[in-house]
Amino acid sequence: MFSKTQSTVRLAVDRLGGATKTAHAVGVSNATIHNWINKQIVPDIDKARLLAKLADLDLHDLRGTR
C-alpha cells in the first residue's frame, strides 16, 4: 500500500503525463522524478512549489509536511 505522500507525488507525475514530461516541466532529470516517487517526497522547495502548481495539488502533501 502506498503512503499518502507517495501517492500524492505519483499523482502529480501522472497528472503531468509521466516521469519524462514531469522532468522537463520542472527542470530535473527523469531519475530525479523516480527518486522523488521512491523517497515519497519532493525535497527541493522550489521544485515542489512548481510541481504543486502544475499538478494542481497541495504543496504540503508533496513535501510530506502535513
Side-chain angles (χ1 to χ4, degrees):
M1 181 102 190
F2 296 123
S3 71
K4 181 178 180 185
T5 304
Q6 185 177 21
S7 61
T8 302
V9 174
R10 191 175 300 261
L11 175 62
V13 171
D14 289 344
R15 283 187 178 183
L16 294 180
T20 301
K21 288 183 180 181
T22 302
H24 289 293
V26 298
V28 299
S29 70
N30 196 32
T32 297
I33 299 299
H34 288 286
N35 284 336
W36 292 351
I37 293 169
N38 291 333
K39 291 180 180 180
Q40 305 177 19
I41 191 170
V42 179
D44 182 299
I45 187 67
D46 294 324
K47 300 298 184 188
R49 280 188 185 122
L50 178 57
L51 182 57
K53 181 178 179 181
L54 292 171
D56 193 29
L57 292 169
D58 189 271
L59 173 65
H60 298 289
D61 290 339
L62 289 174
R63 296 274 298 155
T65 56
R66 198 182 292 237

